[in-house]
Amino acid sequence: MRWSQMFVPTLREDPADADAPSHRLLLRAGFVRLLASGHYSLLPLAVRVRAKVIEVIRQEMNAIGGQEMLLPALHPAEPWRRSGRWELMGEEMFRLRDRRGAELALGMTHEEIFATIAQELHSYKRLPQQWYQFQTKFRDEPRPKGGLMRTREFTMKDAYSFDVDRAGLDASFDAYHGAYTRIFERLGLPALACEASSGTMGGTGSTEFMCPADVGEDLVAHSPACGYAANIERATSRLAPAEDEPGPAVPERFDTPGVRTIEDLLAYDAPGDRQIKTLVYVLDGALTLVLLRGDHPLNEQKLVDVTGAASIRAAEPEEIREALGALPGSLGAVGAGLPVIADEALRGRRNMFTGANTDDVHLRGVDVERDIAVGTWADLREVTAGEPCPRCGEPLRVVKAIEIGHIFKLGDRYARALGAEVLDPDGKQVPIVMGSYGIGVERAMAAIVETHNDERGIVWPLAVAPFHVAVVPAQTADDVVAAAEDVYADLAAAGVEVVIDDRPERAGVKFRDVELTGIPYRVTIGRRALAEGMAEVTARSTGDTEKVPLDAVVAHVRSLVTG
């Protein structure tokens, strides 16, 4: 490939609206261009990288028995209604009608559609099956950001396993876990396998693969000491046992004028760990009290997971006043008459403080299990850095991270909804047990850039670089150009992915573009080295340059790119 014939519109300045290093560099290096918010055109260099990322994933999917398919991106509403997710997906699903008025959607994911195909499996003898695809997905993100990190249109490798029972699902899940570990190692991505929420996917469990990065939108609690890792939406920590003094036989009211917050109540000898924080939420239209220890924050996803609520919001002040007779700051669950969900950290606590449901009045001496009708106990609190790891007890670290892969144990939810059943060994009709496994291709590209860059630009790992090597004639003299052309032709003949920068530009301009675009190796043919029968080979990752005899350049470069 000749640089003079490629479309690589590099920029000399950082784009003003780029909000992440990968966003900035992919724009500057001429890999992508914005069409509209959340929609990017992938230019030639990006297409080359994307193809390599896909091929790495494809190889590992095939290695565990995956069979590649390609299913429609435009879906009828009916299978989504049968699974219950037509309403559950909410505004993030692009919906439309065809000319006949039929309801359709642009696929956010393909569980329902693959389950429809699985209706033809019929017998356990055809299981297990591993199916996957690379397909465009669409999500009406309210706030696309980070360039390729969060878009409204993207390529997903989504895979699905089909087994006759849970033991089979466990085996499939483990196989994908191993495949994902190898994929991210090959892509040069550091990945923490984290416990995670299953969200709208449902199922019995899931694991996210998270890449630590300053621009990450997720938080991960991690213990380097034992390897524990969990998304903050799932993470727990080890709490010290509470030692409460006995309280009064019944709670006591006391005036608290002007008290509106947990911090305000500290003035009344009520430490945060002895206060009951009362939050009021509307879950699927029903007012519900959510209780936590005063010094613990709520993680809303944990509340969603434990209740299964499709709709969740904090109650408005007027709704709270009507239901409880007081405004936030004086709320409590004692005698409240509303459903109560309490965090496990409150179980067994005595002599606690909480609001009395009268403005500027609180209660002391509350025994949680005696005085409050808790309907559900659950882990609701969000862990913070420094809390003891639930496994090893060492302090947890909380880091920002990018989700680069997610694997789910779906169970039989979709098979039951879509009628995907087989005869088991006993001749009984049973629903197929499914798993779902996703990797966002363009997000993986962005994550690679986030973790492989320097002040000069992108530093692509060799496995996904658009080219392995760039040949750069440093001058336009005929002998220099001729030598560069010979090296270029010999490298191409040897199977090396090579580009020659044959533009009539200064050497400095060519060097900057090769560095900015992240090509792993540069072979420079210059007048001075050529007089010695030498070329210069520079490694992008280190900046190290070595002189190599011209007749040995091809063998040397091949050794570099083949390991």
Side-chain angles (χ1 to χ4, degrees), residues 383-436:
V383 305
T384 57
E387 293 181 5
C389 172
R391 292 183 187 169
C392 68
E394 292 298 308
L396 288 171
R397 296 180 184 176
V398 176
V399 299
K400 290 183 177 180
I402 303 164
E403 180 192 330
I404 52 176
H406 204 161
I407 59 179
F408 300 85
K409 292 183 178 181
L410 298 177
D412 61 8
R413 166 185 175 179
Y414 296 93
R416 283 188 288 104
L418 277 301
E421 297 182 335
V422 295
L423 290 175
D424 71 7
D426 298 324
K428 180 182 176 183
Q429 200 85 6
V430 296
I432 295 171
V433 181
M434 291 176 58
S436 176

Tab-separated table of all heavy atoms in Angstrom, residues 383-436:
chain	number	residue	atom	x	y	z
A	383	VAL	N	-19.895	-0.231	48.029
A	383	VAL	CA	-18.641	-0.283	48.774
A	383	VAL	C	-17.767	0.906	48.391
A	383	VAL	O	-17.919	1.505	47.324
A	383	VAL	CB	-17.882	-1.596	48.517
A	383	VAL	CG1	-18.757	-2.798	48.829
A	383	VAL	CG2	-17.376	-1.670	47.089
A	384	THR	N	-16.826	1.251	49.274
A	384	THR	CA	-15.902	2.341	49.016
A	384	THR	C	-14.474	1.853	49.181
A	384	THR	O	-14.213	0.829	49.822
A	384	THR	CB	-16.158	3.524	49.967
A	384	THR	OG1	-16.046	3.061	51.327
A	384	THR	CG2	-17.549	4.103	49.759
A	385	ALA	N	-13.549	2.584	48.590
A	385	ALA	CA	-12.142	2.209	48.645
A	385	ALA	C	-11.671	2.128	50.089
A	385	ALA	O	-12.049	2.953	50.930
A	385	ALA	CB	-11.297	3.218	47.874
A	386	GLY	N	-10.850	1.149	50.366
A	386	GLY	CA	-10.292	0.981	51.697
A	386	GLY	C	-11.043	0.021	52.579
A	386	GLY	O	-10.510	-0.428	53.602
A	387	GLU	N	-12.301	-0.320	52.212
A	387	GLU	CA	-13.040	-1.298	53.004
A	387	GLU	C	-12.405	-2.678	52.821
A	387	GLU	O	-11.784	-2.959	51.792
A	387	GLU	CB	-14.512	-1.332	52.571
A	387	GLU	CG	-15.271	-0.049	52.907
A	387	GLU	CD	-16.722	-0.111	52.483
A	387	GLU	OE1	-17.170	-1.182	52.023
A	387	GLU	OE2	-17.420	0.917	52.604
A	388	PRO	N	-12.548	-3.567	53.813
A	388	PRO	CA	-11.898	-4.873	53.726
A	388	PRO	C	-12.508	-5.740	52.632
A	388	PRO	O	-13.727	-5.812	52.464
A	388	PRO	CB	-12.151	-5.494	55.112
A	388	PRO	CG	-12.491	-4.341	55.998
A	388	PRO	CD	-13.191	-3.346	55.135
A	389	CYS	N	-11.648	-6.402	51.877
A	389	CYS	CA	-12.089	-7.345	50.843
A	389	CYS	C	-12.902	-8.460	51.488
A	389	CYS	O	-12.534	-8.967	52.553
A	389	CYS	CB	-10.867	-7.924	50.131
A	389	CYS	SG	-11.237	-9.275	48.988
A	390	PRO	N	-14.010	-8.895	50.856
A	390	PRO	CA	-14.827	-9.956	51.449
A	390	PRO	C	-14.115	-11.305	51.484
A	390	PRO	O	-14.505	-12.190	52.248
A	390	PRO	CB	-16.063	-10.005	50.534
A	390	PRO	CG	-15.590	-9.461	49.229
A	390	PRO	CD	-14.574	-8.416	49.578
A	391	ARG	N	-13.078	-11.464	50.689
A	391	ARG	CA	-12.354	-12.731	50.651
A	391	ARG	C	-11.132	-12.729	51.570
A	391	ARG	O	-10.967	-13.612	52.398
A	391	ARG	CB	-11.908	-13.048	49.221
A	391	ARG	CG	-13.039	-13.371	48.266
A	391	ARG	CD	-12.472	-13.746	46.896
A	391	ARG	NE	-13.526	-13.904	45.904
A	391	ARG	CZ	-13.307	-14.011	44.604
A	391	ARG	NH1	-12.065	-13.972	44.130
A	391	ARG	NH2	-14.312	-14.149	43.759
A	392	CYS	N	-10.259	-11.739	51.372
A	392	CYS	CA	-8.981	-11.771	52.081
A	392	CYS	C	-8.864	-10.749	53.198
A	392	CYS	O	-7.938	-10.816	54.004
A	392	CYS	CB	-7.826	-11.588	51.097
A	392	CYS	SG	-7.740	-9.936	50.346
A	393	GLY	N	-9.788	-9.777	53.248
A	393	GLY	CA	-9.751	-8.773	54.308
A	393	GLY	C	-8.815	-7.609	54.053
A	393	GLY	O	-8.808	-6.640	54.817
A	394	GLU	N	-8.034	-7.665	52.970
A	394	GLU	CA	-7.141	-6.548	52.650
A	394	GLU	C	-7.956	-5.386	52.075
A	394	GLU	O	-9.049	-5.586	51.541
A	394	GLU	CB	-6.080	-6.998	51.641
A	394	GLU	CG	-5.080	-7.999	52.198
A	394	GLU	CD	-4.287	-7.417	53.352
A	394	GLU	OE1	-3.715	-6.319	53.185
A	394	GLU	OE2	-4.261	-8.056	54.427
A	395	PRO	N	-7.420	-4.155	52.164
A	395	PRO	CA	-8.191	-3.000	51.672
A	395	PRO	C	-8.504	-3.103	50.185
A	395	PRO	O	-7.636	-3.455	49.371
A	395	PRO	CB	-7.259	-1.808	51.954
A	395	PRO	CG	-6.351	-2.281	53.048
A	395	PRO	CD	-6.165	-3.747	52.811
A	396	LEU	N	-9.746	-2.802	49.839
A	396	LEU	CA	-10.158	-2.800	48.441
A	396	LEU	C	-9.706	-1.522	47.740
A	396	LEU	O	-9.713	-0.438	48.329
A	396	LEU	CB	-11.678	-2.896	48.329
A	396	LEU	CG	-12.329	-4.234	48.668
A	396	LEU	CD1	-13.842	-4.075	48.713
A	396	LEU	CD2	-11.941	-5.306	47.650
A	397	ARG	N	-9.326	-1.678	46.496
A	397	ARG	CA	-9.110	-0.521	45.637
A	397	ARG	C	-10.346	-0.350	44.759
A	397	ARG	O	-10.956	-1.336	44.340
A	397	ARG	CB	-7.888	-0.730	44.745
A	397	ARG	CG	-6.570	-0.854	45.501
A	397	ARG	CD	-5.423	-1.056	44.526
A	397	ARG	NE	-4.169	-1.279	45.228
A	397	ARG	CZ	-3.022	-1.553	44.608
A	397	ARG	NH1	-2.994	-1.648	43.280
A	397	ARG	NH2	-1.924	-1.752	45.317
A	398	VAL	N	-10.705	0.882	44.488
A	398	VAL	CA	-11.808	1.159	43.565
A	398	VAL	C	-11.230	1.950	42.398
A	398	VAL	O	-10.682	3.037	42.587
A	398	VAL	CB	-12.947	1.931	44.244
A	398	VAL	CG1	-14.034	2.283	43.231
A	398	VAL	CG2	-13.548	1.098	45.383
A	399	VAL	N	-11.311	1.383	41.194
A	399	VAL	CA	-10.704	1.999	40.018
A	399	VAL	C	-11.737	2.170	38.924
A	399	VAL	O	-12.706	1.413	38.836
A	399	VAL	CB	-9.521	1.149	39.488
A	399	VAL	CG1	-8.435	1.032	40.542
A	399	VAL	CG2	-9.983	-0.247	39.053
A	400	LYS	N	-11.529	3.168	38.074
A	400	LYS	CA	-12.363	3.341	36.886
A	400	LYS	C	-11.959	2.309	35.846
A	400	LYS	O	-10.789	1.952	35.733
A	400	LYS	CB	-12.194	4.749	36.312
A	400	LYS	CG	-12.782	5.851	37.169
A	400	LYS	CD	-12.627	7.194	36.479
A	400	LYS	CE	-13.270	8.308	37.280
A	400	LYS	NZ	-13.116	9.629	36.606
A	401	ALA	N	-12.939	1.855	35.076
A	401	ALA	CA	-12.649	0.821	34.087
A	401	ALA	C	-13.628	0.896	32.933
A	401	ALA	O	-14.730	1.440	33.050
A	401	ALA	CB	-12.700	-0.565	34.736
A	402	ILE	N	-13.200	0.334	31.794
A	402	ILE	CA	-14.024	0.217	30.595
A	402	ILE	C	-14.500	-1.230	30.482
A	402	ILE	O	-13.676	-2.154	30.532
A	402	ILE	CB	-13.218	0.573	29.333
A	402	ILE	CG1	-12.640	1.986	29.441
A	402	ILE	CG2	-14.073	0.427	28.078
A	402	ILE	CD1	-11.543	2.252	28.419
A	403	GLU	N	-15.792	-1.432	30.331
A	403	GLU	CA	-16.294	-2.781	30.096
A	403	GLU	C	-15.960	-3.193	28.666
A	403	GLU	O	-16.425	-2.577	27.706
A	403	GLU	CB	-17.804	-2.843	30.308
A	403	GLU	CG	-18.389	-4.229	30.069
A	403	GLU	CD	-19.894	-4.237	30.006
A	403	GLU	OE1	-20.538	-3.394	30.651
A	403	GLU	OE2	-20.443	-5.103	29.283
A	404	ILE	N	-15.144	-4.231	28.504
A	404	ILE	CA	-14.744	-4.673	27.171
A	404	ILE	C	-15.347	-6.023	26.794
A	404	ILE	O	-15.230	-6.471	25.657
A	404	ILE	CB	-13.205	-4.716	27.036
A	404	ILE	CG1	-12.568	-5.523	28.176
A	404	ILE	CG2	-12.641	-3.303	27.002
A	404	ILE	CD1	-11.066	-5.685	28.051
A	405	GLY	N	-15.991	-6.682	27.743
A	405	GLY	CA	-16.660	-7.950	27.453
A	405	GLY	C	-17.577	-8.316	28.591
A	405	GLY	O	-17.357	-7.901	29.737
A	406	HIS	N	-18.627	-9.071	28.286
A	406	HIS	CA	-19.588	-9.455	29.325
A	406	HIS	C	-20.152	-10.818	28.956
A	406	HIS	O	-20.574	-11.036	27.817
A	406	HIS	CB	-20.716	-8.422	29.412
A	406	HIS	CG	-21.393	-8.385	30.738
A	406	HIS	ND1	-22.154	-7.310	31.169
A	406	HIS	CD2	-21.433	-9.281	31.761
A	406	HIS	CE1	-22.627	-7.552	32.384
A	406	HIS	NE2	-22.206	-8.754	32.746
A	407	ILE	N	-20.135	-11.741	29.899
A	407	ILE	CA	-20.681	-13.077	29.669
A	407	ILE	C	-21.756	-13.360	30.711
A	407	ILE	O	-21.602	-13.025	31.885
A	407	ILE	CB	-19.573	-14.160	29.667
A	407	ILE	CG1	-18.796	-14.194	30.980
A	407	ILE	CG2	-18.619	-13.906	28.507
A	407	ILE	CD1	-17.711	-15.270	31.022
A	408	PHE	N	-22.856	-13.975	30.263
A	408	PHE	CA	-24.042	-14.172	31.094
A	408	PHE	C	-24.470	-15.637	31.109
A	408	PHE	O	-24.445	-16.300	30.075
A	408	PHE	CB	-25.239	-13.380	30.538
A	408	PHE	CG	-25.064	-11.903	30.451
A	408	PHE	CD1	-24.455	-11.338	29.352
A	408	PHE	CD2	-25.526	-11.068	31.461
A	408	PHE	CE1	-24.314	-9.963	29.238
A	408	PHE	CE2	-25.382	-9.699	31.363
A	408	PHE	CZ	-24.783	-9.144	30.259
A	409	LYS	N	-24.913	-16.096	32.258
A	409	LYS	CA	-25.648	-17.354	32.348
A	409	LYS	C	-27.135	-17.007	32.302
A	409	LYS	O	-27.723	-16.589	33.302
A	409	LYS	CB	-25.314	-18.082	33.652
A	409	LYS	CG	-23.895	-18.612	33.739
A	409	LYS	CD	-23.675	-19.374	35.042
A	409	LYS	CE	-22.278	-19.939	35.121
A	409	LYS	NZ	-22.046	-20.715	36.375
A	410	LEU	N	-27.729	-17.171	31.145
A	410	LEU	CA	-29.119	-16.755	30.973
A	410	LEU	C	-30.109	-17.755	31.566
A	410	LEU	O	-31.217	-17.384	31.942
A	410	LEU	CB	-29.437	-16.581	29.484
A	410	LEU	CG	-28.641	-15.502	28.736
A	410	LEU	CD1	-29.038	-15.523	27.265
A	410	LEU	CD2	-28.870	-14.130	29.341
A	411	GLY	N	-29.744	-19.027	31.590
A	411	GLY	CA	-30.706	-20.041	32.019
A	411	GLY	C	-31.712	-20.330	30.921
A	411	GLY	O	-31.410	-20.259	29.733
A	412	ASP	N	-32.961	-20.631	31.315
A	412	ASP	CA	-33.964	-21.029	30.313
A	412	ASP	C	-35.008	-19.945	30.051
A	412	ASP	O	-36.039	-20.197	29.436
A	412	ASP	CB	-34.653	-22.327	30.735
A	412	ASP	CG	-35.386	-22.202	32.068
A	412	ASP	OD1	-35.496	-21.077	32.609
A	412	ASP	OD2	-35.848	-23.245	32.578
A	413	ARG	N	-34.744	-18.724	30.514
A	413	ARG	CA	-35.713	-17.643	30.365
A	413	ARG	C	-36.145	-17.448	28.915
A	413	ARG	O	-37.344	-17.405	28.598
A	413	ARG	CB	-35.112	-16.339	30.900
A	413	ARG	CG	-35.873	-15.084	30.506
A	413	ARG	CD	-35.170	-13.815	30.945
A	413	ARG	NE	-35.848	-12.627	30.458
A	413	ARG	CZ	-35.459	-11.382	30.721
A	413	ARG	NH1	-34.413	-11.171	31.477
A	413	ARG	NH2	-36.121	-10.355	30.233
A	414	TYR	N	-35.186	-17.317	28.001
A	414	TYR	CA	-35.518	-17.032	26.604
A	414	TYR	C	-36.055	-18.273	25.902
A	414	TYR	O	-36.940	-18.174	25.050
A	414	TYR	CB	-34.294	-16.470	25.883
A	414	TYR	CG	-33.875	-15.136	26.459
A	414	TYR	CD1	-32.910	-15.064	27.468
A	414	TYR	CD2	-34.468	-13.955	26.032
A	414	TYR	CE1	-32.544	-13.856	28.018
A	414	TYR	CE2	-34.110	-12.735	26.583
A	414	TYR	CZ	-33.148	-12.683	27.579
A	414	TYR	OH	-32.796	-11.479	28.142
A	415	ALA	N	-35.532	-19.429	26.257
A	415	ALA	CA	-36.029	-20.669	25.647
A	415	ALA	C	-37.490	-20.898	26.005
A	415	ALA	O	-38.299	-21.304	25.151
A	415	ALA	CB	-35.168	-21.846	26.105
A	416	ARG	N	-37.848	-20.659	27.253
A	416	ARG	CA	-39.252	-20.826	27.656
A	416	ARG	C	-40.143	-19.823	26.940
A	416	ARG	O	-41.244	-20.154	26.482
A	416	ARG	CB	-39.388	-20.672	29.170
A	416	ARG	CG	-38.918	-21.896	29.951
A	416	ARG	CD	-39.245	-21.800	31.436
A	416	ARG	NE	-38.414	-20.813	32.119
A	416	ARG	CZ	-38.800	-19.603	32.498
A	416	ARG	NH1	-40.050	-19.215	32.257
A	416	ARG	NH2	-37.980	-18.773	33.107
A	417	ALA	N	-39.671	-18.583	26.835
A	417	ALA	CA	-40.484	-17.540	26.212
A	417	ALA	C	-40.673	-17.777	24.721
A	417	ALA	O	-41.743	-17.518	24.162
A	417	ALA	CB	-39.839	-16.174	26.439
A	418	LEU	N	-39.652	-18.306	24.061
A	418	LEU	CA	-39.701	-18.471	22.605
A	418	LEU	C	-39.987	-19.902	22.168
A	418	LEU	O	-40.031	-20.195	20.968
A	418	LEU	CB	-38.376	-18.008	21.994
A	418	LEU	CG	-38.190	-16.494	21.740
A	418	LEU	CD1	-39.249	-15.961	20.797
A	418	LEU	CD2	-38.130	-15.691	23.012
A	419	GLY	N	-40.161	-20.801	23.115
A	419	GLY	CA	-40.501	-22.175	22.759
A	419	GLY	C	-39.348	-22.983	22.218
A	419	GLY	O	-39.549	-23.876	21.378
A	420	ALA	N	-38.136	-22.707	22.671
A	420	ALA	CA	-36.962	-23.476	22.238
A	420	ALA	C	-36.773	-24.648	23.197
A	420	ALA	O	-36.176	-24.508	24.268
A	420	ALA	CB	-35.722	-22.582	22.219
A	421	GLU	N	-37.304	-25.789	22.831
A	421	GLU	CA	-37.279	-26.962	23.706
A	421	GLU	C	-36.671	-28.155	22.975
A	421	GLU	O	-36.673	-28.219	21.740
A	421	GLU	CB	-38.692	-27.310	24.164
A	421	GLU	CG	-39.355	-26.223	25.006
A	421	GLU	CD	-40.733	-26.642	25.474
A	421	GLU	OE1	-41.356	-27.492	24.795
A	421	GLU	OE2	-41.188	-26.132	26.517
A	422	VAL	N	-36.148	-29.095	23.777
A	422	VAL	CA	-35.626	-30.347	23.230
A	422	VAL	C	-36.121	-31.507	24.080
A	422	VAL	O	-36.545	-31.325	25.228
A	422	VAL	CB	-34.077	-30.353	23.207
A	422	VAL	CG1	-33.527	-29.305	22.272
A	422	VAL	CG2	-33.513	-30.195	24.614
A	423	LEU	N	-36.049	-32.690	23.516
A	423	LEU	CA	-36.288	-33.895	24.303
A	423	LEU	C	-35.011	-34.242	25.042
A	423	LEU	O	-33.933	-34.337	24.441
A	423	LEU	CB	-36.701	-35.051	23.390
A	423	LEU	CG	-38.085	-34.954	22.744
A	423	LEU	CD1	-38.284	-36.111	21.772
A	423	LEU	CD2	-39.178	-34.936	23.799
A	424	ASP	N	-35.112	-34.443	26.378
A	424	ASP	CA	-33.931	-34.808	27.158
A	424	ASP	C	-33.709	-36.324	27.084
A	424	ASP	O	-34.482	-37.038	26.426
A	424	ASP	CB	-34.063	-34.301	28.594
A	424	ASP	CG	-35.101	-35.043	29.417
A	424	ASP	OD1	-35.645	-36.068	28.932
A	424	ASP	OD2	-35.367	-34.612	30.548
A	425	PRO	N	-32.655	-36.862	27.718
A	425	PRO	CA	-32.384	-38.308	27.613
A	425	PRO	C	-33.529	-39.195	28.083
A	425	PRO	O	-33.620	-40.365	27.696
A	425	PRO	CB	-31.138	-38.488	28.494
A	425	PRO	CG	-30.453	-37.165	28.436
A	425	PRO	CD	-31.551	-36.163	28.410
A	426	ASP	N	-34.424	-38.638	28.929
A	426	ASP	CA	-35.564	-39.414	29.417
A	426	ASP	C	-36.804	-39.239	28.547
A	426	ASP	O	-37.893	-39.715	28.905
A	426	ASP	CB	-35.889	-39.012	30.859
A	426	ASP	CG	-34.742	-39.313	31.810
A	426	ASP	OD1	-34.070	-40.347	31.602
A	426	ASP	OD2	-34.520	-38.513	32.737
A	427	GLY	N	-36.652	-38.527	27.425
A	427	GLY	CA	-37.791	-38.313	26.547
A	427	GLY	C	-38.719	-37.202	26.997
A	427	GLY	O	-39.821	-37.062	26.474
A	428	LYS	N	-38.295	-36.407	27.941
A	428	LYS	CA	-39.110	-35.303	28.457
A	428	LYS	C	-38.774	-34.012	27.712
A	428	LYS	O	-37.613	-33.738	27.416
A	428	LYS	CB	-38.841	-35.139	29.953
A	428	LYS	CG	-39.629	-34.016	30.605
A	428	LYS	CD	-39.255	-33.897	32.083
A	428	LYS	CE	-39.964	-32.724	32.732
A	428	LYS	NZ	-39.557	-32.565	34.154
A	429	GLN	N	-39.809	-33.238	27.397
A	429	GLN	CA	-39.616	-31.960	26.723
A	429	GLN	C	-39.121	-30.930	27.741
A	429	GLN	O	-39.794	-30.664	28.743
A	429	GLN	CB	-40.937	-31.496	26.101
A	429	GLN	CG	-40.782	-30.468	25.002
A	429	GLN	CD	-40.518	-31.105	23.657
A	429	GLN	OE1	-40.557	-32.323	23.537
A	429	GLN	NE2	-40.234	-30.290	22.658
A	430	VAL	N	-37.936	-30.352	27.496
A	430	VAL	CA	-37.375	-29.375	28.438
A	430	VAL	C	-36.882	-28.157	27.670
A	430	VAL	O	-36.454	-28.262	26.513
A	430	VAL	CB	-36.205	-29.979	29.244
A	430	VAL	CG1	-36.676	-31.131	30.126
A	430	VAL	CG2	-35.074	-30.430	28.335
A	431	PRO	N	-36.944	-26.976	28.308
A	431	PRO	CA	-36.401	-25.784	27.644
A	431	PRO	C	-34.879	-25.837	27.598
A	431	PRO	O	-34.226	-26.341	28.505
A	431	PRO	CB	-36.891	-24.631	28.534
A	431	PRO	CG	-37.123	-25.250	29.868
A	431	PRO	CD	-37.546	-26.652	29.616
A	432	ILE	N	-34.315	-25.326	26.521
A	432	ILE	CA	-32.859	-25.258	26.373
A	432	ILE	C	-32.306	-24.238	27.372
A	432	ILE	O	-32.923	-23.210	27.656
A	432	ILE	CB	-32.497	-24.855	24.934
A	432	ILE	CG1	-32.947	-25.944	23.956
A	432	ILE	CG2	-31.004	-24.588	24.791
A	432	ILE	CD1	-32.825	-25.545	22.496
A	433	VAL	N	-31.141	-24.529	27.900
A	433	VAL	CA	-30.471	-23.634	28.845
A	433	VAL	C	-29.417	-22.833	28.072
A	433	VAL	O	-28.538	-23.416	27.419
A	433	VAL	CB	-29.826	-24.427	29.990
A	433	VAL	CG1	-29.156	-23.482	30.982
A	433	VAL	CG2	-30.877	-25.276	30.700
A	434	MET	N	-29.525	-21.502	28.149
A	434	MET	CA	-28.716	-20.635	27.289
A	434	MET	C	-27.704	-19.813	28.075
A	434	MET	O	-27.890	-19.513	29.246
A	434	MET	CB	-29.623	-19.676	26.502
A	434	MET	CG	-30.487	-20.329	25.445
A	434	MET	SD	-31.621	-19.128	24.642
A	434	MET	CE	-30.455	-17.919	23.993
A	435	GLY	N	-26.650	-19.419	27.357
A	435	GLY	CA	-25.711	-18.411	27.827
A	435	GLY	C	-25.539	-17.369	26.739
A	435	GLY	O	-25.803	-17.630	25.557
A	436	SER	N	-25.098	-16.176	27.115
A	436	SER	CA	-24.895	-15.092	26.157
A	436	SER	C	-23.553	-14.440	26.448
A	436	SER	O	-23.206	-14.219	27.612
A	436	SER	CB	-26.029	-14.063	26.274
A	436	SER	OG	-25.811	-12.959	25.416
